[in-house]
Amino acid sequence: MKKPDGAFVAALRTGLPPSSSECAEGARKPYVVISSVPVELPGLTGEGTIAPRVVFRVIQGYRYFGSYGIINIVGGADGQACELRNVVRGPGGKGDYSFGDVGVLKALAPDEKVAPAKAYDTLDQAAKYVGESSEFANVQRMLMSLEIKN
């Protein structure tokens, strides 16, 4: 999906293979959930999942990298992760879903392309984007409008 000016907003991907988020303890980076709102997606609960939510999360690298999407899996233990997956584990045999700006958010290196993820100098800047921007309010509404039909 794109904004009227052609800027990328989000993509819906379906039938994704199951993913694992194994990572070495030394490679983990701190992350923060800035926004987390429940979303009605019946049938997307099961072992190892949480109730589906629209989230905006930030992972710390040389800057704070932010991303939004729908999830039903936890990002990582103790506020640490190698990557944050914007993934909803689908019903058995149907594959996973991803609806967000990026499928996987990592702490990027200075020479890596950031877009469509967002980059901030401080957590406060990221929180202001979520709390004060009409762009995020519109994105959140769009993500929450997702309906999955059998």
Side-chain angles (χ1 to χ4, degrees), residues 121-134:
D121 294 323
T122 66
L123 277 175
D124 190 50
Q125 285 178 349
K128 280 186 174 158
Y129 169 73
V130 167
E132 299 175 11
S133 79
S134 60

Side-chain angles (χ1 to χ4, degrees), residues 27-67:
R28 295 179 185 156
K29 304 284 185 195
Y31 77 90
V32 177
V33 179
I34 292 182
S35 175
S36 178
V37 179
V39 61
E40 276 297 314
L41 288 173
L44 293 182
T45 55
E47 188 177 334
T49 65
I50 59 174
R53 311 189 72 72
V54 171
V55 296
F56 185 86
R57 300 176 293 181
V58 174
I59 194 163
Q60 186 176 348
Y62 77 97
R63 292 181 78 191
Y64 293 91
F65 299 99
S67 174

Side-chain angles (χ1 to χ4, degrees), residues 80-139:
Q80 303 264 314
C82 285
E83 58 189 25
L84 299 173
R85 295 181 174 273
N86 289 326
V87 170
V88 173
R89 189 163 296 140
K94 300 274 190 204
D96 292 348
Y97 300 84
S98 173
F99 191 25
D101 54 359
V102 294
V104 177
L105 178 67
K106 299 178 184 181
L108 302 167
D111 60 346
E112 288 182 282
K113 186 176 153 225
V114 172
K118 313 249 181 278
Y120 305 95
D121 294 323
T122 66
L123 277 175
D124 190 50
Q125 285 178 349
K128 280 186 174 158
Y129 169 73
V130 167
E132 299 175 11
S133 79
S134 60
E135 177 181 300
F136 181 74
N138 290 335
V139 164

Side-chain angles (χ1 to χ4, degrees), residues 62-74:
Y62 77 97
R63 292 181 78 191
Y64 293 91
F65 299 99
S67 174
Y68 48 73
I70 299 177
I71 64 161
N72 72 348
I73 55 174
V74 174

